[in-house]
Every structure is written in structure tokens, then in C-alpha cells.
Amino acid sequence: LSKENSLLFVDFDLNIIREIDTKEYYELKGTYFILKNEYKEKRDWFSQILSKNYAYIQIADITCDYGLTPAIRLNLATTYYYLGKYGEAFAECDKAIRSNPDFAEAYHTRSNIYFTSGKYDEALADCNEALMLNPDYPDTYYTLGNINYELVKYVDAEAAYKKAIEL
């Protein structure tokens, strides 16, 4: 790795220090917040990157054909979503899904975008696809409950909420 394009990554849980490239750093940082269920911190961190360091987005756009991983795409989509930029969030989810059609979290995020936009049938389709790929993800059941509630399917909504709590 070149020194200008690399960072030191410290993992205190594993007691390791290793050199990583910038792209991997963004993915690891976002994944770290997801694994710790620290969604607010993830949103705040990526929002800060987008608002203060537009160069990252430019790098992401330039390198999109050179290996941005679906996980980075999902991080970008989530950040755009929390910033209210639904078109950009949707586009990043699409790219993540095209790169990895089995990426349940990307379908779940796209389902949330559809839901927020009032497109409940599309939200339901993506939510069901996410559950087919990963039936043990409680957040998707919660989203399914919200969708069914808006579609006035209260029994289905209640079942989805119960499943989310069960998991």
C-alpha cells in the first residue's frame, strides 16, 4: 500500500495493528458500528464524512467500477437515507444488489427507502426478499410490521412485530 492511500487499523479486541487502504477503512468503520448496534453513531459518522469531506464521495464515484464493495455501497446508501437523499440512497442500494444479489441488508435498506417514500408494495417486495435471504434479521421483521400496518394488515403487522421481538 502506498503511504498516501493507507491507514493503520487498530483492533483492540484482537490486539492487532495492520495497514489498510482507505476504502477498507470506511467499510470496517461502518461494519464496526453495525456489529455494535450503534446505528446512530454510524449515521453520525457517515453524515460527517459526507458533509465535511466530499472528496470521499468523489473517490467513491470515480472508483465505483474499481471495486467498491457492496458493504461500502450500503454504508453510503444508509448515510444518504438518513440525510434525506432518497434518490442517492436508492441508487447505492441498487448498485450493492447488482454487485451481490444475495445481500439481504441491501434489500432491507431499499425496503426502508420505499417505505419512507410511501411505496408500500415495493417496500413489501424488497422486505420479503430480504427475509428470504436472511430470515433471522429482526430489523427486517420490524420493517415488515410497519409496512403491513400501513397496508392495514394489522394481523400480519402484529405477527411481524412479535417475530422481531422473538429474535
mmCIF file of all heavy atoms in Angstrom, residues 62-86:
data_model
loop_
_atom_site.group_PDB
_atom_site.id
_atom_site.type_symbol
_atom_site.label_atom_id
_atom_site.label_comp_id
_atom_site.label_asym_id
_atom_site.label_seq_id
_atom_site.Cartn_x
_atom_site.Cartn_y
_atom_site.Cartn_z
ATOM 1 N N ILE A 62 -15.675 7.862 -8.557
ATOM 2 C CA ILE A 62 -14.619 7.560 -9.527
ATOM 3 C C ILE A 62 -14.258 6.080 -9.498
ATOM 4 O O ILE A 62 -14.040 5.471 -10.516
ATOM 5 C CB ILE A 62 -13.363 8.410 -9.235
ATOM 6 C CG1 ILE A 62 -13.665 9.872 -9.559
ATOM 7 C CG2 ILE A 62 -12.164 7.919 -10.024
ATOM 8 C CD1 ILE A 62 -12.619 10.840 -9.047
ATOM 9 N N THR A 63 -14.236 5.492 -8.291
ATOM 10 C CA THR A 63 -13.757 4.119 -8.175
ATOM 11 C C THR A 63 -14.874 3.085 -8.224
ATOM 12 O O THR A 63 -14.622 1.921 -7.994
ATOM 13 C CB THR A 63 -12.972 3.930 -6.857
ATOM 14 O OG1 THR A 63 -13.836 4.234 -5.766
ATOM 15 C CG2 THR A 63 -11.753 4.798 -6.814
ATOM 16 N N CYS A 64 -16.104 3.508 -8.522
ATOM 17 C CA CYS A 64 -17.209 2.560 -8.440
ATOM 18 C C CYS A 64 -17.001 1.341 -9.339
ATOM 19 O O CYS A 64 -17.460 0.263 -9.014
ATOM 20 C CB CYS A 64 -18.534 3.228 -8.733
ATOM 21 S SG CYS A 64 -18.681 3.833 -10.410
ATOM 22 N N ASP A 65 -16.299 1.523 -10.434
ATOM 23 C CA ASP A 65 -16.042 0.379 -11.296
ATOM 24 C C ASP A 65 -14.767 -0.347 -10.905
ATOM 25 O O ASP A 65 -14.381 -1.313 -11.540
ATOM 26 C CB ASP A 65 -15.949 0.831 -12.757
ATOM 27 C CG ASP A 65 -17.263 1.393 -13.252
ATOM 28 O OD1 ASP A 65 -18.318 0.887 -12.838
ATOM 29 O OD2 ASP A 65 -17.218 2.350 -14.038
ATOM 30 N N TYR A 66 -14.099 0.107 -9.877
ATOM 31 C CA TYR A 66 -12.828 -0.489 -9.468
ATOM 32 C C TYR A 66 -12.924 -1.178 -8.124
ATOM 33 O O TYR A 66 -11.960 -1.268 -7.403
ATOM 34 C CB TYR A 66 -11.731 0.575 -9.446
ATOM 35 C CG TYR A 66 -11.533 1.224 -10.786
ATOM 36 C CD1 TYR A 66 -12.093 2.460 -11.062
ATOM 37 C CD2 TYR A 66 -10.829 0.578 -11.792
ATOM 38 C CE1 TYR A 66 -11.936 3.048 -12.305
ATOM 39 C CE2 TYR A 66 -10.670 1.160 -13.035
ATOM 40 C CZ TYR A 66 -11.228 2.390 -13.283
ATOM 41 O OH TYR A 66 -11.081 2.964 -14.515
ATOM 42 N N GLY A 67 -14.107 -1.595 -7.741
ATOM 43 C CA GLY A 67 -14.186 -2.471 -6.591
ATOM 44 C C GLY A 67 -14.770 -1.918 -5.318
ATOM 45 O O GLY A 67 -14.448 -2.430 -4.255
ATOM 46 N N LEU A 68 -15.613 -0.889 -5.353
ATOM 47 C CA LEU A 68 -16.309 -0.526 -4.120
ATOM 48 C C LEU A 68 -17.163 -1.722 -3.733
ATOM 49 O O LEU A 68 -17.941 -2.225 -4.537
ATOM 50 C CB LEU A 68 -17.213 0.683 -4.331
ATOM 51 C CG LEU A 68 -16.661 2.046 -4.020
ATOM 52 C CD1 LEU A 68 -17.773 3.093 -4.035
ATOM 53 C CD2 LEU A 68 -15.933 2.105 -2.714
ATOM 54 N N THR A 69 -17.026 -2.173 -2.530
ATOM 55 C CA THR A 69 -17.737 -3.377 -2.117
ATOM 56 C C THR A 69 -19.210 -3.059 -1.858
ATOM 57 O O THR A 69 -19.571 -1.912 -1.585
ATOM 58 C CB THR A 69 -17.119 -3.949 -0.829
ATOM 59 O OG1 THR A 69 -17.336 -3.011 0.229
ATOM 60 C CG2 THR A 69 -15.639 -4.230 -0.995
ATOM 61 N N PRO A 70 -20.057 -4.074 -1.918
ATOM 62 C CA PRO A 70 -21.467 -3.856 -1.579
ATOM 63 C C PRO A 70 -21.651 -3.288 -0.171
ATOM 64 O O PRO A 70 -22.557 -2.501 0.058
ATOM 65 C CB PRO A 70 -22.082 -5.253 -1.707
ATOM 66 C CG PRO A 70 -21.230 -5.945 -2.722
ATOM 67 C CD PRO A 70 -19.834 -5.427 -2.452
ATOM 68 N N ALA A 71 -20.778 -3.669 0.765
ATOM 69 C CA ALA A 71 -20.884 -3.142 2.132
ATOM 70 C C ALA A 71 -20.639 -1.635 2.164
ATOM 71 O O ALA A 71 -21.327 -0.899 2.878
ATOM 72 C CB ALA A 71 -19.912 -3.857 3.059
ATOM 73 N N ILE A 72 -19.681 -1.154 1.393
ATOM 74 C CA ILE A 72 -19.452 0.293 1.319
ATOM 75 C C ILE A 72 -20.647 0.960 0.664
ATOM 76 O O ILE A 72 -21.116 2.009 1.123
ATOM 77 C CB ILE A 72 -18.153 0.617 0.553
ATOM 78 C CG1 ILE A 72 -16.932 0.171 1.354
ATOM 79 C CG2 ILE A 72 -18.070 2.112 0.251
ATOM 80 C CD1 ILE A 72 -15.628 0.333 0.618
ATOM 81 N N ARG A 73 -21.153 0.368 -0.388
ATOM 82 C CA ARG A 73 -22.338 0.912 -1.047
ATOM 83 C C ARG A 73 -23.504 1.021 -0.055
ATOM 84 O O ARG A 73 -24.236 2.000 -0.040
ATOM 85 C CB ARG A 73 -22.742 0.032 -2.217
ATOM 86 C CG ARG A 73 -21.751 0.040 -3.335
ATOM 87 C CD ARG A 73 -22.263 0.911 -4.454
ATOM 88 N NE ARG A 73 -21.283 0.959 -5.509
ATOM 89 C CZ ARG A 73 -20.793 2.092 -5.980
ATOM 90 N NH1 ARG A 73 -21.174 3.238 -5.495
ATOM 91 N NH2 ARG A 73 -19.913 2.072 -6.948
ATOM 92 N N LEU A 74 -23.674 -0.011 0.765
ATOM 93 C CA LEU A 74 -24.757 0.013 1.745
ATOM 94 C C LEU A 74 -24.524 1.113 2.780
ATOM 95 O O LEU A 74 -25.466 1.794 3.192
ATOM 96 C CB LEU A 74 -24.910 -1.344 2.427
ATOM 97 C CG LEU A 74 -26.087 -1.454 3.388
ATOM 98 C CD1 LEU A 74 -27.410 -1.219 2.664
ATOM 99 C CD2 LEU A 74 -26.089 -2.809 4.059
ATOM 100 N N ASN A 75 -23.273 1.295 3.204
ATOM 101 C CA ASN A 75 -22.965 2.386 4.124
ATOM 102 C C ASN A 75 -23.318 3.730 3.498
ATOM 103 O O ASN A 75 -23.898 4.604 4.154
ATOM 104 C CB ASN A 75 -21.490 2.374 4.519
ATOM 105 C CG ASN A 75 -21.188 1.350 5.576
ATOM 106 O OD1 ASN A 75 -22.028 1.043 6.402
ATOM 107 N ND2 ASN A 75 -19.986 0.820 5.567
ATOM 108 N N LEU A 76 -22.973 3.906 2.235
ATOM 109 C CA LEU A 76 -23.318 5.150 1.549
ATOM 110 C C LEU A 76 -24.837 5.302 1.448
ATOM 111 O O LEU A 76 -25.380 6.392 1.689
ATOM 112 C CB LEU A 76 -22.702 5.177 0.155
ATOM 113 C CG LEU A 76 -21.196 5.375 0.086
ATOM 114 C CD1 LEU A 76 -20.692 5.136 -1.331
ATOM 115 C CD2 LEU A 76 -20.826 6.767 0.557
ATOM 116 N N ALA A 77 -25.521 4.230 1.101
ATOM 117 C CA ALA A 77 -26.983 4.279 0.985
ATOM 118 C C ALA A 77 -27.622 4.670 2.310
ATOM 119 O O ALA A 77 -28.517 5.526 2.354
ATOM 120 C CB ALA A 77 -27.523 2.922 0.521
ATOM 121 N N THR A 78 -27.161 4.057 3.380
ATOM 122 C CA THR A 78 -27.715 4.364 4.703
ATOM 123 C C THR A 78 -27.468 5.812 5.075
ATOM 124 O O THR A 78 -28.348 6.495 5.602
ATOM 125 C CB THR A 78 -27.091 3.429 5.756
ATOM 126 O OG1 THR A 78 -27.343 2.071 5.378
ATOM 127 C CG2 THR A 78 -27.689 3.665 7.128
ATOM 128 N N THR A 79 -26.291 6.294 4.772
ATOM 129 C CA THR A 79 -25.966 7.686 5.073
ATOM 130 C C THR A 79 -26.847 8.631 4.270
ATOM 131 O O THR A 79 -27.423 9.574 4.821
ATOM 132 C CB THR A 79 -24.481 7.961 4.774
ATOM 133 O OG1 THR A 79 -23.697 7.051 5.541
ATOM 134 C CG2 THR A 79 -24.117 9.380 5.148
ATOM 135 N N TYR A 80 -26.965 8.379 2.977
ATOM 136 C CA TYR A 80 -27.839 9.202 2.150
ATOM 137 C C TYR A 80 -29.279 9.157 2.684
ATOM 138 O O TYR A 80 -29.972 10.168 2.731
ATOM 139 C CB TYR A 80 -27.829 8.731 0.695
ATOM 140 C CG TYR A 80 -26.643 9.186 -0.113
ATOM 141 C CD1 TYR A 80 -25.938 8.288 -0.899
ATOM 142 C CD2 TYR A 80 -26.240 10.524 -0.130
ATOM 143 C CE1 TYR A 80 -24.861 8.696 -1.680
ATOM 144 C CE2 TYR A 80 -25.170 10.936 -0.900
ATOM 145 C CZ TYR A 80 -24.484 10.027 -1.671
ATOM 146 O OH TYR A 80 -23.430 10.437 -2.428
ATOM 147 N N TYR A 81 -29.725 7.977 3.086
ATOM 148 C CA TYR A 81 -31.081 7.808 3.608
ATOM 149 C C TYR A 81 -31.296 8.713 4.827
ATOM 150 O O TYR A 81 -32.285 9.442 4.913
ATOM 151 C CB TYR A 81 -31.321 6.338 3.966
ATOM 152 C CG TYR A 81 -32.636 6.071 4.645
ATOM 153 C CD1 TYR A 81 -33.817 6.009 3.911
ATOM 154 C CD2 TYR A 81 -32.695 5.878 6.020
ATOM 155 C CE1 TYR A 81 -35.027 5.763 4.530
ATOM 156 C CE2 TYR A 81 -33.908 5.633 6.650
ATOM 157 C CZ TYR A 81 -35.067 5.573 5.909
ATOM 158 O OH TYR A 81 -36.262 5.335 6.522
ATOM 159 N N TYR A 82 -30.361 8.670 5.773
ATOM 160 C CA TYR A 82 -30.505 9.480 6.977
ATOM 161 C C TYR A 82 -30.370 10.974 6.695
ATOM 162 O O TYR A 82 -30.832 11.800 7.474
ATOM 163 C CB TYR A 82 -29.520 9.045 8.056
ATOM 164 C CG TYR A 82 -29.963 7.801 8.764
ATOM 165 C CD1 TYR A 82 -29.243 6.617 8.650
ATOM 166 C CD2 TYR A 82 -31.112 7.788 9.539
ATOM 167 C CE1 TYR A 82 -29.655 5.468 9.290
ATOM 168 C CE2 TYR A 82 -31.543 6.635 10.179
ATOM 169 C CZ TYR A 82 -30.805 5.490 10.056
ATOM 170 O OH TYR A 82 -31.223 4.347 10.697
ATOM 171 N N LEU A 83 -29.740 11.314 5.588
ATOM 172 C CA LEU A 83 -29.650 12.721 5.196
ATOM 173 C C LEU A 83 -30.859 13.155 4.367
ATOM 174 O O LEU A 83 -30.948 14.306 3.946
ATOM 175 C CB LEU A 83 -28.371 12.964 4.393
ATOM 176 C CG LEU A 83 -27.068 12.861 5.187
ATOM 177 C CD1 LEU A 83 -25.872 12.944 4.252
ATOM 178 C CD2 LEU A 83 -26.995 13.944 6.248
ATOM 179 N N GLY A 84 -31.789 12.228 4.120
ATOM 180 C CA GLY A 84 -32.989 12.549 3.349
ATOM 181 C C GLY A 84 -32.768 12.572 1.850
ATOM 182 O O GLY A 84 -33.612 13.048 1.100
ATOM 183 N N LYS A 85 -31.639 12.037 1.398
ATOM 184 C CA LYS A 85 -31.329 11.996 -0.036
ATOM 185 C C LYS A 85 -31.711 10.609 -0.569
ATOM 186 O O LYS A 85 -30.877 9.762 -0.831
ATOM 187 C CB LYS A 85 -29.848 12.288 -0.257
ATOM 188 C CG LYS A 85 -29.447 13.680 0.209
ATOM 189 C CD LYS A 85 -27.978 13.950 -0.029
ATOM 190 C CE LYS A 85 -27.640 15.371 0.377
ATOM 191 N NZ LYS A 85 -26.264 15.719 0.040
ATOM 192 N N TYR A 86 -33.025 10.421 -0.735
ATOM 193 C CA TYR A 86 -33.550 9.097 -1.043
ATOM 194 C C TYR A 86 -33.158 8.600 -2.429
ATOM 195 O O TYR A 86 -32.936 7.400 -2.618
ATOM 196 C CB TYR A 86 -35.069 9.064 -0.861
ATOM 197 C CG TYR A 86 -35.475 9.455 0.545
ATOM 198 C CD1 TYR A 86 -36.388 10.477 0.768
ATOM 199 C CD2 TYR A 86 -34.922 8.829 1.655
ATOM 200 C CE1 TYR A 86 -36.747 10.853 2.054
ATOM 201 C CE2 TYR A 86 -35.272 9.196 2.939
ATOM 202 C CZ TYR A 86 -36.183 10.206 3.133
ATOM 203 O OH TYR A 86 -36.529 10.584 4.406
#
